Amino acid sequence: MQINFFIHYFELQSTFEMDDNRNNHVQELAYIRSMMEQSSRFISLSGLSGVAAGIVALMGAAAVYVYLGTSPFTGRKWYDVDNAATYEKWGMGYQTFFMLDALLVLCLAISIGYFFSRRKAKKAGQKLVTPSSMKLLSNFLIPLVSGGIFCLMLARYGYFGIIAPSMLIFYGLALINGSKYTLDDIRYLGFVELFLGLLATWFIGYGLLFWAIGFGVMHIVYGLRMYFKYDR
Amino acid sequence: MKDIINNLNKIFDSRMRLGIMSVLMVNDWVEFKNMKEMLDATDGNLASHIKALEKNEYIEVRKMFVGRKPQTSYRVTKLGEKAFKNHLDALEKLLNSRD
């Protein structure tokens, strides 16, 4: 009986009003869905990942300094391509050493970063693979992979001086692009890297120094900041 | 039909409250400032709706100092989560039943 009464009640209302009501509910659901999607951010990013990546980067940069037999602030000779072509140490040519060093830093930083973030996610009872973490990853990787290919091309044509600044610039853009889906600090780190990269284009020859500051020091600084802000 | 209508929670009868709950459902602690940005709300409006949800124990509040700045964050409670899910189910059923 009650049900019948209710149906009649609805039938009596103008169809316009009914549609209006229905539309409201549809809109409500759409709004809820979009708010949930927009606001879900990947928060398991661990500050310690940043610190570890920074330390690894500093070690990588230090290895290059040792290889070249120089120290920060001295000499710009290592981007002298003519010289570099004949440079050899530890049984490795200039380019082989650089590629190996970069690859090692990248792999170590990613695996340690993955380890700490997984640990943090586990502690908080969250999953590492979520829609927001996947969105973060894809948005982060688009500029980063383009930058990586671009840098390889620069190396191929011998524009060594501009590689370190390019890495910083593309990395900064990747961070800024991905930051919508994770903690705000990443966005600021992105701007810092971008600024350092652009600055480095002005000081060609000091690329490694800027690289060490951007990928080493800045990661440690922001990693610690995030660690004390979120992880404890 | 009537049951379904009854299942719609009166407390969620506002777009702002739906927004607050949606954001909290998929996040852990969310700061007032961030919530304001996400929902594009004014301080007063957001605060009054938060208060209503808090009164019903659908959300909980955490106040702490970060440096010298006070920081207020919110999180959905178990009760709130259940109520919101019921509300969503009811909304969905209501829509499906009239197709």
Side-chain angles (χ1 to χ4, degrees):
Chain A
M1 280 311 286
Q2 261 188 341
I3 293 171
N4 265 336
F5 165 78
F6 205 80
I7 290 171
H8 283 303
Y9 171 71
F10 260 94
E11 276 170 353
L12 282 172
Q13 295 195 3
S14 69
T15 46
F16 173 76
E17 210 171 309
M18 237 183 96
D19 281 351
D20 212 40
N21 214 337
R22 190 194 156 83
N23 271 340
N24 272 341
H25 290 317
V26 171
Q27 274 176 10
E28 254 172 37
L29 275 176
Y31 176 68
I32 289 166
R33 190 168 295 139
S34 84
M35 275 329 292
M36 278 181 165
E37 272 167 19
Q38 271 177 42
S39 70
S40 64
R41 290 169 172 220
F42 181 65
I43 50 171
S44 293
L45 210 61
S46 165
L48 290 179
S49 301
V51 176
I55 291 170
V56 170
L58 281 183
M59 291 195 308
V64 174
Y65 278 120
V66 173
Y67 178 84
L68 294 169
T70 57
S71 64
F73 298 109
T74 62
R76 302 154 60 136
K77 63 180 182 199
W78 59 80
Y79 286 129
D80 184 347
V81 183
D82 295 334
N83 227 357
T86 56
Y87 200 95
E88 209 181 293
K89 201 176 186 178
W90 303 334
M92 273 179 288
Y94 180 82
Q95 289 197 28
T96 319
F97 176 77
F98 270 66
M99 286 294 173
L100 208 69
D101 188 52
L103 210 66
L104 209 66
V105 167
L106 188 70
C107 291
L108 268 176
I110 288 175
S111 39
I112 298 175
Y114 173 76
F115 169 77
F116 279 118
S117 286
R118 198 186 58 173
R119 202 180 67 160
K120 186 180 169 187
K122 232 179 204 171
K123 239 190 218 164
Q126 285 164 337
K127 284 183 196 152
L128 205 54
V129 179
T130 61
S132 51
S133 77
M134 287 298 108
K135 260 192 243 160
L136 166 66
L137 204 63
S138 59
N139 277 277
F140 175 68
L141 283 180
I142 293 165
L144 198 72
V145 171
S146 332
I149 295 169
F150 181 70
C151 287
L152 283 177
M153 289 301 127
L154 288 178
R156 195 189 145 180
Y157 297 121
Y159 297 117
F160 293 103
I162 207 83
I163 291 179
S166 302
M167 284 171 90
L168 283 165
I169 289 169
F170 278 103
Y171 183 59
L173 292 175
L175 288 176
I176 293 166
N177 204 38
S179 65
K180 285 169 280 189
Y181 303 103
T182 187
L183 305 164
D184 278 339
D185 308 62
I186 296 299
R187 190 175 175 76
Y188 302 124
L189 177 61
F191 282 121
V192 170
E193 303 284 4
L194 183 61
F195 174 74
L196 276 173
L198 291 173
L199 197 67
T201 56
W202 189 257
F203 297 101
I204 294 291
Y206 292 99
L208 187 60
L209 183 65
F210 281 99
W211 193 93
I213 294 170
F215 284 95
V217 179
M218 278 314 166
H219 272 150
I220 295 174
V221 168
Y222 269 82
L224 284 177
R225 207 181 107 118
M226 282 167 64
Y227 178 71
F228 286 113
K229 202 163 151 191
Y230 306 106
D231 297 4
R232 286 197 321 162
Chain B
M1 194 73 188
K2 194 172 185 191
D3 284 346
I4 297 173
I5 298 275
N6 280 342
N7 277 338
L8 284 180
N9 195 330
K10 276 261 153 42
I11 297 160
F12 297 133
D13 199 10
S14 125
R15 179 159 271 231
M16 190 61 70
R17 289 181 200 175
L18 285 177
I20 295 166
M21 291 304 286
S22 307
V23 170
L24 292 181
M25 287 294 278
V26 289
N27 288 285
D28 206 15
W29 291 101
V30 176
E31 258 181 76
F32 186 88
K33 202 186 79 194
N34 293 340
M35 182 82 85
K36 208 179 97 180
E37 277 169 18
M38 281 187 247
L39 299 176
D40 202 15
T42 58
D43 277 1
N45 195 9
L46 181 59
S48 72
H49 285 298
I50 279 178
K51 205 170 244 173
L53 291 171
E54 198 191 329
K55 220 169 96 185
N56 285 284
E57 292 182 357
Y58 284 175
I59 62 176
E60 56 181 309
V61 187
R62 180 182 69 182
K63 286 181 181 171
M64 59 181 202
F65 278 87
V66 174
R68 273 189 211 163
K69 279 187 187 163
Q71 191 188 72
T72 314
S73 310
Y74 304 92
R75 180 164 77 173
V76 70
T77 61
K78 282 265 182 304
L79 183 73
E81 207 178 312
K82 212 176 141 199
F84 191 64
K85 272 182 184 156
N86 284 341
H87 183 73
L88 287 187
D89 286 344
L91 266 181
E92 238 158 38
K93 266 187 203 150
L94 191 66
L95 289 176
N96 289 334
S97 67
R98 274 196 253 156
D99 273 336

